[in-house]
Amino acid sequence: MLVTRRHFLATTAAAATCFASRSLFAQQEPQQPEMVLKARAGAASAKITTQKLRGNISVVQGSGGNIAVLSGPQGKLLVDSGISSSQPHIQEALAAISADPIQHLINTHWHYDHTDGNLWMHSAGATIIAHEKTRQRLASPQKIELFHATFPSEPAGALPTLIFTGQHTLQMNGNTLYLEHYDPAHTDTDISVHFADADVLHTGDTWFNGVYPFIDYSTGGHIDGMIRATKRTLATGTTSTIVIPGHGPVGDKQQVSESLEMLSAIRDKVADLRKQGKSIDETIAAKPTVAFDEKWGKGFTTPEMFTRFVYQGV
Ligand SMILES: [Zn+2]
Ligand SMILES: [Zn+2]
């Protein structure tokens, strides 16, 4: 009985504390969509792995989009910030790479799985760099129709302060970095980051390695833009460029070529069906992706979803 009562009191106290902090939280922060809350819950215990690539560049994976890390005497430069709840695990992974503090963070685009960690990384000392459209989208509420979700604007500390349009060049830790805006592809905010000396390229979500891509038409994405972006990725660097996708394992130009073939073949098939007057449901029923599903259809974007993304743009 005593144990039960103690347990009851402890549980009640914990619940009261939890309730108090939650209502405080609710007053301070605008409501995030369910998918962000779920992502944060999952990422709190997600396994974070580090892979050394070339030169002083590594990739940290397991929390949202892939995070590239350039380390050296000028401090760490990161590409994308993952999900905020992974902070302790990401900090551990970063500390294992080197003791250099975080000085710079580049966002490849505005999506939360690449920017949710912005606030803590900025607090840890990072200047945030991005295309001006990324800043615009993070600074105001954004709706993604497909998810029926509205993402609230980010607090000032999470916003990029070094913004550019077109291109931007940085010198950091012995590497020249070329940042380039893609034409609208996955969104209208996408950039590539090429670490030219190490020849490592981060494509953001213009490349998903091994799965059908997500294309965010609500914020400027388009299948033909994805195809153009993939071609531009192939034209950047050399034949031995290490390519970091937004999601999936780190790859090479050969794998980017395979993505291009897949995107182009499905785009043409769906365009033909649409030209014949087929509705979206008839087009899905015709299974225009079937030859590719075994290899590409097992990710977040199902064959049906991908068919919808393509149909919408042709
Ligand atoms: Zn992503
Ligand atoms: Zn994205």
Side-chain angles (χ1 to χ4, degrees):
M1 188 63 202
L2 189 63
V3 172
T4 309
R5 186 175 149 72
R6 267 202 200 133
H7 176 74
F8 172 78
L9 288 173
T11 310
T12 311
T17 311
C18 180
F19 180 75
S21 58
R22 276 177 66 169
S23 32
L24 194 67
F25 185 78
Q27 280 163 17
Q28 287 173 344
E29 279 204 40
Q31 187 58 44
Q32 293 287 344
E34 194 62 32
M35 66 187 305
V36 173
L37 300 178
K38 274 191 184 154
R40 286 179 182 169
S45 58
K47 187 175 154 52
I48 304 297
T49 60
T50 303
Q51 183 186 349
K52 200 168 160 26
L53 299 180
R54 190 152 55 202
N56 40 358
I57 299 167
S58 303
V59 66
V60 170
Q61 297 179 295
S63 174
N66 292 330
I67 300 172
V69 182
L70 168 69
S71 54
Q74 289 177 278
K76 287 196 182 84
L77 175 144
L78 274 61
V79 182
D80 287 344
S81 62
I83 305 292
S84 56
S85 57
S86 297
Q87 178 184 348
H89 304 296
I90 291 175
Q91 279 175 316
E92 242 171 70
L94 294 176
I97 294 171
S98 74
D100 308 314
I102 307 174
Q103 293 281 23
H104 294 89
L105 165 65
I106 299 171
N107 289 144
T108 59
H109 63 298
W110 79 272
H111 282 157
Y112 73 91
D113 54 323
H114 303 255
T115 57
D116 193 46
N118 277 17
L119 194 58
W120 80 258
M121 287 191 186
H122 175 68
S123 300
T127 298
I128 308 177
I129 305 165
H131 192 269
E132 74 166 353
K133 287 195 174 187
T134 293
R135 184 189 159 93
Q136 283 168 12
R137 292 207 179 273
L138 288 176
S140 56
Q142 300 296 320
K143 192 169 183 187
I144 299 184
E145 308 280 349
L146 183 79
F147 302 141
H148 309 288
T150 299
F151 301 82
S153 56
E154 289 293 319
L159 298 179
T161 52
L162 205 169
I163 56 174
F164 66 95
T165 55
Q167 301 182 335
H168 185 71
T169 307
L170 280 171
Q171 303 287 339
M172 198 71 57
N173 295 324
N175 260 273
T176 304
L177 279 69
Y178 296 101
L179 284 57
E180 268 191 68
H181 189 218
Y182 286 106
D183 286 337
H186 166 74
T187 66
D188 61 7
T189 66
D190 312 309
I191 61 164
S192 58
V193 180
H194 189 212
F195 300 88
D197 301 79
D199 198 14
V200 174
L201 178 68
H202 196 313
T203 64
D205 281 357
T206 67
W207 188 40
F208 284 63
N209 190 8
V211 291
Y212 289 135
F214 170 57
I215 304 177
D216 180 4
Y217 279 80
S218 292
T219 67
H222 193 281
I223 177 62
D224 289 342
M226 285 293 278
I227 291 172
R228 277 196 298 274
T230 310
K231 286 178 180 166
R232 233 201 56 208
T233 291
L234 285 170
T236 304
T238 67
T239 49
S240 55
T241 303
I242 295 174
V243 191
I244 307 174
H247 298 271
V250 172
D252 57 23
K253 289 284 183 71
Q254 177 55 37
Q255 289 167 305
V256 179
S257 297
E258 288 164 18
S259 279
L260 178 61
E261 282 167 31
M262 176 275 290
L263 294 173
S264 304
I266 294 175
R267 189 239 176 255
D268 291 349
K269 275 208 169 88
V270 172
D272 272 354
L273 291 163
R274 188 159 190 171
K275 225 179 279 160
Q276 291 165 26
K278 299 262 195 277
S279 69
I280 178 65
D281 290 335
E282 288 166 340
T283 302
I284 290 165
K287 297 192 184 301
T289 66
V290 72
F292 298 94
D293 291 349
E294 179 61 26
K295 181 168 175 190
W296 305 88
K298 292 166 185 161
F300 168 83
T301 299
T302 62
E304 180 186 328
M305 272 167 80
F306 187 56
T307 304
R308 286 182 190 277
F309 294 153
V310 178
Y311 188 91
Q312 198 172 341
V314 295

